[in-house]
mmCIF file with all atom_site columns, all heavy atoms in Angstrom:
data_model
loop_
_atom_site.group_PDB
_atom_site.id
_atom_site.type_symbol
_atom_site.label_atom_id
_atom_site.label_alt_id
_atom_site.label_comp_id
_atom_site.label_asym_id
_atom_site.label_entity_id
_atom_site.label_seq_id
_atom_site.pdbx_PDB_ins_code
_atom_site.Cartn_x
_atom_site.Cartn_y
_atom_site.Cartn_z
_atom_site.occupancy
_atom_site.B_iso_or_equiv
_atom_site.pdbx_formal_charge
_atom_site.auth_seq_id
_atom_site.auth_comp_id
_atom_site.auth_asym_id
_atom_site.auth_atom_id
_atom_site.pdbx_PDB_model_num
ATOM 1   N N   . ASP A 1 183 ? 0.398   -21.815 -14.543 1.00 0.00 ? 183 ASP A N   1
ATOM 2   C CA  . ASP A 1 183 ? -0.948  -21.722 -13.970 1.00 0.00 ? 183 ASP A CA  1
ATOM 3   C C   . ASP A 1 183 ? -1.027  -22.314 -12.564 1.00 0.00 ? 183 ASP A C   1
ATOM 4   O O   . ASP A 1 183 ? -2.042  -22.884 -12.155 1.00 0.00 ? 183 ASP A O   1
ATOM 5   C CB  . ASP A 1 183 ? -1.962  -22.419 -14.887 1.00 0.00 ? 183 ASP A CB  1
ATOM 6   C CG  . ASP A 1 183 ? -3.364  -21.835 -14.730 1.00 0.00 ? 183 ASP A CG  1
ATOM 7   O OD1 . ASP A 1 183 ? -3.504  -20.803 -14.046 1.00 0.00 ? 183 ASP A OD1 1
ATOM 8   O OD2 . ASP A 1 183 ? -4.312  -22.425 -15.278 1.00 0.00 ? 183 ASP A OD2 1
ATOM 9   N N   . LYS A 1 184 ? 0.048   -22.150 -11.802 1.00 0.00 ? 184 LYS A N   1
ATOM 10  C CA  . LYS A 1 184 ? 0.064   -22.636 -10.425 1.00 0.00 ? 184 LYS A CA  1
ATOM 11  C C   . LYS A 1 184 ? -0.699  -21.672 -9.520  1.00 0.00 ? 184 LYS A C   1
ATOM 12  O O   . LYS A 1 184 ? -0.916  -20.512 -9.872  1.00 0.00 ? 184 LYS A O   1
ATOM 13  C CB  . LYS A 1 184 ? 1.504   -22.776 -9.929  1.00 0.00 ? 184 LYS A CB  1
ATOM 14  C CG  . LYS A 1 184 ? 2.291   -23.883 -10.601 1.00 0.00 ? 184 LYS A CG  1
ATOM 15  C CD  . LYS A 1 184 ? 3.683   -23.979 -9.994  1.00 0.00 ? 184 LYS A CD  1
ATOM 16  C CE  . LYS A 1 184 ? 4.478   -25.142 -10.601 1.00 0.00 ? 184 LYS A CE  1
ATOM 17  N NZ  . LYS A 1 184 ? 5.840   -25.237 -10.003 1.00 0.00 ? 184 LYS A NZ  1
ATOM 18  N N   . PRO A 1 185 ? -1.124  -22.113 -8.330  1.00 0.00 ? 185 PRO A N   1
ATOM 19  C CA  . PRO A 1 185 ? -1.742  -21.189 -7.366  1.00 0.00 ? 185 PRO A CA  1
ATOM 20  C C   . PRO A 1 185 ? -0.798  -20.032 -7.057  1.00 0.00 ? 185 PRO A C   1
ATOM 21  O O   . PRO A 1 185 ? 0.427   -20.205 -7.035  1.00 0.00 ? 185 PRO A O   1
ATOM 22  C CB  . PRO A 1 185 ? -1.983  -22.065 -6.130  1.00 0.00 ? 185 PRO A CB  1
ATOM 23  C CG  . PRO A 1 185 ? -2.066  -23.457 -6.673  1.00 0.00 ? 185 PRO A CG  1
ATOM 24  C CD  . PRO A 1 185 ? -1.116  -23.502 -7.832  1.00 0.00 ? 185 PRO A CD  1
ATOM 25  N N   . ILE A 1 186 ? -1.343  -18.864 -6.801  1.00 0.00 ? 186 ILE A N   1
ATOM 26  C CA  . ILE A 1 186 ? -0.531  -17.669 -6.608  1.00 0.00 ? 186 ILE A CA  1
ATOM 27  C C   . ILE A 1 186 ? 0.456   -17.827 -5.447  1.00 0.00 ? 186 ILE A C   1
ATOM 28  O O   . ILE A 1 186 ? 1.557   -17.276 -5.476  1.00 0.00 ? 186 ILE A O   1
ATOM 29  C CB  . ILE A 1 186 ? -1.439  -16.428 -6.389  1.00 0.00 ? 186 ILE A CB  1
ATOM 30  C CG1 . ILE A 1 186 ? -0.617  -15.133 -6.442  1.00 0.00 ? 186 ILE A CG1 1
ATOM 31  C CG2 . ILE A 1 186 ? -2.207  -16.523 -5.082  1.00 0.00 ? 186 ILE A CG2 1
ATOM 32  C CD1 . ILE A 1 186 ? -0.146  -14.748 -7.803  1.00 0.00 ? 186 ILE A CD1 1
ATOM 33  N N   . ALA A 1 187 ? 0.098   -18.616 -4.443  1.00 0.00 ? 187 ALA A N   1
ATOM 34  C CA  . ALA A 1 187 ? 0.988   -18.813 -3.292  1.00 0.00 ? 187 ALA A CA  1
ATOM 35  C C   . ALA A 1 187 ? 2.243   -19.581 -3.680  1.00 0.00 ? 187 ALA A C   1
ATOM 36  O O   . ALA A 1 187 ? 3.245   -19.535 -2.966  1.00 0.00 ? 187 ALA A O   1
ATOM 37  C CB  . ALA A 1 187 ? 0.255   -19.543 -2.174  1.00 0.00 ? 187 ALA A CB  1
ATOM 38  N N   . GLN A 1 188 ? 2.195   -20.314 -4.798  1.00 0.00 ? 188 GLN A N   1
ATOM 39  C CA  . GLN A 1 188 ? 3.357   -21.078 -5.252  1.00 0.00 ? 188 GLN A CA  1
ATOM 40  C C   . GLN A 1 188 ? 4.191   -20.304 -6.278  1.00 0.00 ? 188 GLN A C   1
ATOM 41  O O   . GLN A 1 188 ? 5.147   -20.835 -6.829  1.00 0.00 ? 188 GLN A O   1
ATOM 42  C CB  . GLN A 1 188 ? 2.900   -22.404 -5.842  1.00 0.00 ? 188 GLN A CB  1
ATOM 43  C CG  . GLN A 1 188 ? 2.233   -23.331 -4.840  1.00 0.00 ? 188 GLN A CG  1
ATOM 44  C CD  . GLN A 1 188 ? 1.738   -24.619 -5.468  1.00 0.00 ? 188 GLN A CD  1
ATOM 45  O OE1 . GLN A 1 188 ? 2.252   -25.071 -6.495  1.00 0.00 ? 188 GLN A OE1 1
ATOM 46  N NE2 . GLN A 1 188 ? 0.724   -25.225 -4.860  1.00 0.00 ? 188 GLN A NE2 1
ATOM 47  N N   . SER A 1 189 ? 3.812   -19.057 -6.523  1.00 0.00 ? 189 SER A N   1
ATOM 48  C CA  . SER A 1 189 ? 4.554   -18.218 -7.454  1.00 0.00 ? 189 SER A CA  1
ATOM 49  C C   . SER A 1 189 ? 5.551   -17.367 -6.683  1.00 0.00 ? 189 SER A C   1
ATOM 50  O O   . SER A 1 189 ? 5.720   -17.527 -5.478  1.00 0.00 ? 189 SER A O   1
ATOM 51  C CB  . SER A 1 189 ? 3.586   -17.317 -8.228  1.00 0.00 ? 189 SER A CB  1
ATOM 52  O OG  . SER A 1 189 ? 3.091   -16.294 -7.375  1.00 0.00 ? 189 SER A OG  1
ATOM 53  N N   . ASN A 1 190 ? 6.194   -16.439 -7.385  1.00 0.00 ? 190 ASN A N   1
ATOM 54  C CA  . ASN A 1 190 ? 7.121   -15.530 -6.708  1.00 0.00 ? 190 ASN A CA  1
ATOM 55  C C   . ASN A 1 190 ? 6.436   -14.248 -6.239  1.00 0.00 ? 190 ASN A C   1
ATOM 56  O O   . ASN A 1 190 ? 7.081   -13.231 -6.004  1.00 0.00 ? 190 ASN A O   1
ATOM 57  C CB  . ASN A 1 190 ? 8.300   -15.184 -7.621  1.00 0.00 ? 190 ASN A CB  1
ATOM 58  C CG  . ASN A 1 190 ? 7.859   -14.565 -8.936  1.00 0.00 ? 190 ASN A CG  1
ATOM 59  O OD1 . ASN A 1 190 ? 6.718   -14.725 -9.349  1.00 0.00 ? 190 ASN A OD1 1
ATOM 60  N ND2 . ASN A 1 190 ? 8.767   -13.874 -9.607  1.00 0.00 ? 190 ASN A ND2 1
ATOM 61  N N   . CYS A 1 191 ? 5.111   -14.289 -6.080  1.00 0.00 ? 191 CYS A N   1
ATOM 62  C CA  . CYS A 1 191 ? 4.350   -13.168 -5.519  1.00 0.00 ? 191 CYS A CA  1
ATOM 63  C C   . CYS A 1 191 ? 4.889   -12.816 -4.131  1.00 0.00 ? 191 CYS A C   1
ATOM 64  O O   . CYS A 1 191 ? 5.171   -13.700 -3.324  1.00 0.00 ? 191 CYS A O   1
ATOM 65  C CB  . CYS A 1 191 ? 2.875   -13.543 -5.429  1.00 0.00 ? 191 CYS A CB  1
ATOM 66  S SG  . CYS A 1 191 ? 1.843   -12.354 -4.538  1.00 0.00 ? 191 CYS A SG  1
ATOM 67  N N   . VAL A 1 192 ? 5.018   -11.504 -3.857  1.00 0.00 ? 192 VAL A N   1
ATOM 68  C CA  . VAL A 1 192 ? 5.540   -11.072 -2.557  1.00 0.00 ? 192 VAL A CA  1
ATOM 69  C C   . VAL A 1 192 ? 4.434   -10.509 -1.661  1.00 0.00 ? 192 VAL A C   1
ATOM 70  O O   . VAL A 1 192 ? 4.712   -10.027 -0.564  1.00 0.00 ? 192 VAL A O   1
ATOM 71  C CB  . VAL A 1 192 ? 6.675   -10.032 -2.724  1.00 0.00 ? 192 VAL A CB  1
ATOM 72  C CG1 . VAL A 1 192 ? 7.845   -10.643 -3.478  1.00 0.00 ? 192 VAL A CG1 1
ATOM 73  C CG2 . VAL A 1 192 ? 6.174   -8.766  -3.428  1.00 0.00 ? 192 VAL A CG2 1
ATOM 74  N N   . GLY A 1 193 ? 3.186   -10.552 -2.144  1.00 0.00 ? 193 GLY A N   1
ATOM 75  C CA  . GLY A 1 193 ? 2.057   -10.156 -1.306  1.00 0.00 ? 193 GLY A CA  1
ATOM 76  C C   . GLY A 1 193 ? 1.842   -8.670  -1.153  1.00 0.00 ? 193 GLY A C   1
ATOM 77  O O   . GLY A 1 193 ? 1.109   -8.248  -0.259  1.00 0.00 ? 193 GLY A O   1
ATOM 78  N N   . CYS A 1 194 ? 2.442   -7.849  -2.020  1.00 0.00 ? 194 CYS A N   1
ATOM 79  C CA  . CYS A 1 194 ? 2.351   -6.392  -1.844  1.00 0.00 ? 194 CYS A CA  1
ATOM 80  C C   . CYS A 1 194 ? 0.936   -5.876  -2.067  1.00 0.00 ? 194 CYS A C   1
ATOM 81  O O   . CYS A 1 194 ? 0.581   -4.800  -1.567  1.00 0.00 ? 194 CYS A O   1
ATOM 82  C CB  . CYS A 1 194 ? 3.320   -5.676  -2.772  1.00 0.00 ? 194 CYS A CB  1
ATOM 83  S SG  . CYS A 1 194 ? 2.911   -5.801  -4.533  1.00 0.00 ? 194 CYS A SG  1
ATOM 84  N N   . GLY A 1 195 ? 0.127   -6.587  -2.853  1.00 0.00 ? 195 GLY A N   1
ATOM 85  C CA  . GLY A 1 195 ? -1.263  -6.193  -3.052  1.00 0.00 ? 195 GLY A CA  1
ATOM 86  C C   . GLY A 1 195 ? -1.485  -5.074  -4.044  1.00 0.00 ? 195 GLY A C   1
ATOM 87  O O   . GLY A 1 195 ? -2.614  -4.607  -4.211  1.00 0.00 ? 195 GLY A O   1
ATOM 88  N N   . GLN A 1 196 ? -0.436  -4.623  -4.738  1.00 0.00 ? 196 GLN A N   1
ATOM 89  C CA  . GLN A 1 196 ? -0.619  -3.555  -5.706  1.00 0.00 ? 196 GLN A CA  1
ATOM 90  C C   . GLN A 1 196 ? -1.514  -3.992  -6.864  1.00 0.00 ? 196 GLN A C   1
ATOM 91  O O   . GLN A 1 196 ? -2.207  -3.173  -7.477  1.00 0.00 ? 196 GLN A O   1
ATOM 92  C CB  . GLN A 1 196 ? 0.739   -3.075  -6.233  1.00 0.00 ? 196 GLN A CB  1
ATOM 93  C CG  . GLN A 1 196 ? 1.553   -2.289  -5.220  1.00 0.00 ? 196 GLN A CG  1
ATOM 94  C CD  . GLN A 1 196 ? 0.881   -0.990  -4.814  1.00 0.00 ? 196 GLN A CD  1
ATOM 95  O OE1 . GLN A 1 196 ? 0.560   -0.151  -5.652  1.00 0.00 ? 196 GLN A OE1 1
ATOM 96  N NE2 . GLN A 1 196 ? 0.667   -0.807  -3.512  1.00 0.00 ? 196 GLN A NE2 1
ATOM 97  N N   . CYS A 1 197 ? -1.532  -5.289  -7.161  1.00 0.00 ? 197 CYS A N   1
ATOM 98  C CA  . CYS A 1 197 ? -2.423  -5.807  -8.207  1.00 0.00 ? 197 CYS A CA  1
ATOM 99  C C   . CYS A 1 197 ? -3.881  -5.633  -7.797  1.00 0.00 ? 197 CYS A C   1
ATOM 100 O O   . CYS A 1 197 ? -4.741  -5.292  -8.618  1.00 0.00 ? 197 CYS A O   1
ATOM 101 C CB  . CYS A 1 197 ? -2.111  -7.271  -8.502  1.00 0.00 ? 197 CYS A CB  1
ATOM 102 S SG  . CYS A 1 197 ? -2.194  -8.361  -7.052  1.00 0.00 ? 197 CYS A SG  1
ATOM 103 N N   . ALA A 1 198 ? -4.182  -5.856  -6.526  1.00 0.00 ? 198 ALA A N   1
ATOM 104 C CA  . ALA A 1 198 ? -5.551  -5.686  -6.034  1.00 0.00 ? 198 ALA A CA  1
ATOM 105 C C   . ALA A 1 198 ? -5.966  -4.220  -6.087  1.00 0.00 ? 198 ALA A C   1
ATOM 106 O O   . ALA A 1 198 ? -7.128  -3.904  -6.368  1.00 0.00 ? 198 ALA A O   1
ATOM 107 C CB  . ALA A 1 198 ? -5.669  -6.212  -4.605  1.00 0.00 ? 198 ALA A CB  1
ATOM 108 N N   . LEU A 1 199 ? -5.022  -3.301  -5.818  1.00 0.00 ? 199 LEU A N   1
ATOM 109 C CA  . LEU A 1 199 ? -5.320  -1.878  -5.920  1.00 0.00 ? 199 LEU A CA  1
ATOM 110 C C   . LEU A 1 199 ? -5.665  -1.487  -7.346  1.00 0.00 ? 199 LEU A C   1
ATOM 111 O O   . LEU A 1 199 ? -6.557  -0.679  -7.593  1.00 0.00 ? 199 LEU A O   1
ATOM 112 C CB  . LEU A 1 199 ? -4.114  -1.046  -5.463  1.00 0.00 ? 199 LEU A CB  1
ATOM 113 C CG  . LEU A 1 199 ? -3.998  -0.630  -4.005  1.00 0.00 ? 199 LEU A CG  1
ATOM 114 C CD1 . LEU A 1 199 ? -2.845  0.346   -3.838  1.00 0.00 ? 199 LEU A CD1 1
ATOM 115 C CD2 . LEU A 1 199 ? -5.275  -0.003  -3.489  1.00 0.00 ? 199 LEU A CD2 1
ATOM 116 N N   . ALA A 1 200 ? -4.944  -2.079  -8.322  1.00 0.00 ? 200 ALA A N   1
ATOM 117 C CA  . ALA A 1 200 ? -5.122  -1.706  -9.725  1.00 0.00 ? 200 ALA A CA  1
ATOM 118 C C   . ALA A 1 200 ? -6.336  -2.353  -10.357 1.00 0.00 ? 200 ALA A C   1
ATOM 119 O O   . ALA A 1 200 ? -6.895  -1.816  -11.315 1.00 0.00 ? 200 ALA A O   1
ATOM 120 C CB  . ALA A 1 200 ? -3.868  -2.072  -10.513 1.00 0.00 ? 200 ALA A CB  1
ATOM 121 N N   . CYS A 1 201 ? -6.761  -3.515  -9.846  1.00 0.00 ? 201 CYS A N   1
ATOM 122 C CA  . CYS A 1 201 ? -7.854  -4.268  -10.470 1.00 0.00 ? 201 CYS A CA  1
ATOM 123 C C   . CYS A 1 201 ? -9.160  -3.478  -10.415 1.00 0.00 ? 201 CYS A C   1
ATOM 124 O O   . CYS A 1 201 ? -9.602  -3.082  -9.344  1.00 0.00 ? 201 CYS A O   1
ATOM 125 C CB  . CYS A 1 201 ? -8.034  -5.618  -9.785  1.00 0.00 ? 201 CYS A CB  1
ATOM 126 S SG  . CYS A 1 201 ? -9.389  -6.598  -10.486 1.00 0.00 ? 201 CYS A SG  1
ATOM 127 N N   . PRO A 1 202 ? -9.823  -3.257  -11.576 1.00 0.00 ? 202 PRO A N   1
ATOM 128 C CA  . PRO A 1 202 ? -11.035 -2.442  -11.579 1.00 0.00 ? 202 PRO A CA  1
ATOM 129 C C   . PRO A 1 202 ? -12.327 -3.208  -11.286 1.00 0.00 ? 202 PRO A C   1
ATOM 130 O O   . PRO A 1 202 ? -13.377 -2.595  -11.124 1.00 0.00 ? 202 PRO A O   1
ATOM 131 C CB  . PRO A 1 202 ? -11.064 -1.900  -13.013 1.00 0.00 ? 202 PRO A CB  1
ATOM 132 C CG  . PRO A 1 202 ? -10.437 -2.976  -13.826 1.00 0.00 ? 202 PRO A CG  1
ATOM 133 C CD  . PRO A 1 202 ? -9.385  -3.605  -12.948 1.00 0.00 ? 202 PRO A CD  1
ATOM 134 N N   . THR A 1 203 ? -12.256 -4.543  -11.208 1.00 0.00 ? 203 THR A N   1
ATOM 135 C CA  . THR A 1 203 ? -13.503 -5.310  -11.155 1.00 0.00 ? 203 THR A CA  1
ATOM 136 C C   . THR A 1 203 ? -13.644 -6.266  -9.984  1.00 0.00 ? 203 THR A C   1
ATOM 137 O O   . THR A 1 203 ? -14.669 -6.922  -9.848  1.00 0.00 ? 203 THR A O   1
ATOM 138 C CB  . THR A 1 203 ? -13.666 -6.150  -12.443 1.00 0.00 ? 203 THR A CB  1
ATOM 139 O OG1 . THR A 1 203 ? -12.600 -7.121  -12.508 1.00 0.00 ? 203 THR A OG1 1
ATOM 140 C CG2 . THR A 1 203 ? -13.650 -5.278  -13.680 1.00 0.00 ? 203 THR A CG2 1
ATOM 141 N N   . GLY A 1 204 ? -12.649 -6.402  -9.145  1.00 0.00 ? 204 GLY A N   1
ATOM 142 C CA  . GLY A 1 204 ? -12.750 -7.356  -8.044  1.00 0.00 ? 204 GLY A CA  1
ATOM 143 C C   . GLY A 1 204 ? -12.246 -8.736  -8.394  1.00 0.00 ? 204 GLY A C   1
ATOM 144 O O   . GLY A 1 204 ? -12.482 -9.685  -7.648  1.00 0.00 ? 204 GLY A O   1
ATOM 145 N N   . ALA A 1 205 ? -11.538 -8.866  -9.521  1.00 0.00 ? 205 ALA A N   1
ATOM 146 C CA  . ALA A 1 205 ? -10.937 -10.157 -9.858  1.00 0.00 ? 205 ALA A CA  1
ATOM 147 C C   . ALA A 1 205 ? -9.787  -10.483 -8.908  1.00 0.00 ? 205 ALA A C   1
ATOM 148 O O   . ALA A 1 205 ? -9.463  -11.647 -8.688  1.00 0.00 ? 205 ALA A O   1
ATOM 149 C CB  . ALA A 1 205 ? -10.440 -10.153 -11.307 1.00 0.00 ? 205 ALA A CB  1
#
Side-chain angles (χ1 to χ4, degrees):
D183 207 9
K184 291 183 177 180
I186 190 72
Q188 296 178 26
S189 73
N190 57 339
C191 172
V192 298
C194 68
Q196 289 296 304
C197 56
L199 269 188
C201 179
T203 64

